[in-house]
Amino acid sequence: MGKQGSSPRGRRVENEDLDISFGLKEHEFRSLDLQHGGDSPIGRRLSGGEYNWDKVVLTKGMKNDSAKFTPCKGVYVGKRQMWWLHRHIRSIVFTLLLMGFLYLLDSLLLSIFDPVMLQSNFSLQGSSKTEVEMVPRAAKEGPVKLYERLLNLAASSLAERELKQESSKLWEEPYPQASSWKPCADKTSPLVVRAGKPRNITGYILISANGGLNQQRVAVCNAVAVASLLNATLVIPKFLYSNVWKDPSQFGDIYQEDYFMDMLKDEVNIMKELPPNLKLLDVEAAGSLITDADLSKEATPDEYIEKILPLLLRNRVVHFLGYGNRLGFDPLPYEFQRLRCKCNFHALKFVPEIQQIGSLLVRRIRRYDFARSTLDKQLLGNLIPHVPLRHYHAAEGPSKYLALHLRFEIDMVAYSMCEFGGGETERSELQTYREVHFPLLLERLKKSKPLSPQELRKTGKCPLTPEEAGLVLAGLCFKHGTYIYLAGSDIYGGQSRMQALTTLYPNLVTKEDLLTPSELAPFRNFSSQLAALDFIACATSDVFAMTDSGSQLSSLVSGFRTYYGGGHAPTLRPSKKRLSVILSRNKTIGWHSFEGKIRKMIDEGQRVQVRGLGRSIYRHPRCKECMCRH
């Protein structure tokens, strides 16, 4: 009897009888400038929560054990327990409240920086969530993090800024001089007007352009200039099928043919097909088939006149096979340079099918349905309204977004010969890819001493990883809740490689997130048409961030934003060489010092400068041939 009614036995509370519950509510971590809107956010990763303590019934267990006490000793023990509970009730309540507060704080921090937030839970009317397509690594390893210390500092800084409601200053162009440059390549020269429409006195030029969407765009505009230079008629260009791109799209599937011809009709003769009497000509047998081997990479006008014009006059047809970057930028007469700009910025309009889905894409990420800038109007035409379709509440504000072009696909990674922290598995995987896709690269490397991966990184030859891109954005003070549109989706390394970026910036979406499978279906097997949607989303974004200045998409998008942005379309251009120097101190550098160096690096790339000698006119249109300075 004594053992059964002893004090320790009487104080025990069985687990199944303890009524302690935690009410978990959804905690939405969003910035104050978006709290006014009533719409559910697009692409927000929300997790964590506020915790409510329910009442704790401490006497429940004692009631269940009361039948075990003896009439005397049991009553005595019960009274002693109640006395002890009464004496220490304040301490118990304080302890429970302290534990609850700590648990709440811990959960709040986890909700901000938990990698679980990689999965988006947004929903759109008429749309469905799809997985971001990414290239998986062969080994099922954990997340690849090269700069874990800096990532932790970045996370702390983002949390601090979120509480202070501090925002990046780079949502606007830092230099007001940018707004003094205006588009004017479409203004026809008085000399051209007086001369009238050029006559076909030399022959016809056929173009078969290689590469993807952006390489083909450059080839088309170079061909327009060459046709004008040689006073020839240009036949609507053809696009070569590539085993890499696997896209059978032709010019008319991407661009409006009639608009293209009409825009350039006063300066270049353009036809859809060769005349019937020339269709049967064997251009190769006639010696009129021109490949890259027959021209310098950036040939001068004199080279075209010396090599191509005689063939054109003799055979009436010249076919440029695999044509691309085969016309230099300098020296080139004013009129031909201006014609390049007119072609790129005015004559090449996407077909209505691409404009319609591009408009839908932009409207969904912004959460409003009307054109806001000249960029919108130029890229989307009449398929984005110039006035709101519904009553628009200014207090809600448009959703700003940053477009990020991560050039970290497996082809880019393999070709760079760099290493990215994946160890032997990564080296083996990339070497296998090179053997299949880049055999000429490997042969060339055998004949020379290649640079080590460390030397390549120091010289700025390595593409930026998603982790490095995230650190740059954090260093520029873009908030944790910034909406980011990711151009492209086949990121090498898959989710494990993306985790560092999406932990810092969970509101990251792609076209696959924003559009339904049925909306994407017409473009699914046409990579160039999908790339056109990325082009539109990047060009019309509030801020465009590139990670590789050599990328054709980044170059053309940044040029478009310069030409039509009116000084209100900032582009971030990190220097890979300078960034490698900054990141080499990742184990010792303080966060404030890191921020200062990143801002200085980006600031230098945003200065308003006139196009330098030999620089691409498509990327740097600030020059007298393309733009007018007011």
Side-chain angles (χ1 to χ4, degrees), residues 218 222 298-301 325-333 337 340 611-619 625:
V218 169
N222 286 346
E298 293 189 354
T300 63
N325 192 17
R326 284 295 181 269
L327 179 64
F329 291 103
D330 295 293
L332 193 67
Q337 204 76 285
R340 274 172 147 176
R611 183 183 74 93
L613 187 68
R615 305 298 295 273
S616 168
I617 207 161
Y618 306 119
R619 180 178 176 179
E625 297 90 345

Side-chain angles (χ1 to χ4, degrees), residues 71-90:
C72 297
K73 200 168 186 178
V75 172
Y76 168 75
V77 172
K79 288 182 178 180
R80 190 173 66 178
Q81 286 179 331
M82 294 299 295
W83 172 82
W84 182 90
L85 180 63
H86 180 75
R87 181 178 179 182
H88 296 282
I89 188 66
R90 291 186 178 181

Side-chain angles (χ1 to χ4, degrees), residues 93 108 124 199 241 277 337 344 350 420 431-432 442 446 538 613:
V93 172
L108 178 61
L124 294 167
R199 292 171 296 171
Y241 180 84
N277 64 311
Q337 204 76 285
N344 182 51
F350 292 124
F420 302 92
Q431 182 63 17
T432 300
L442 297 179
K446 290 179 182 178
C538 290
L613 187 68

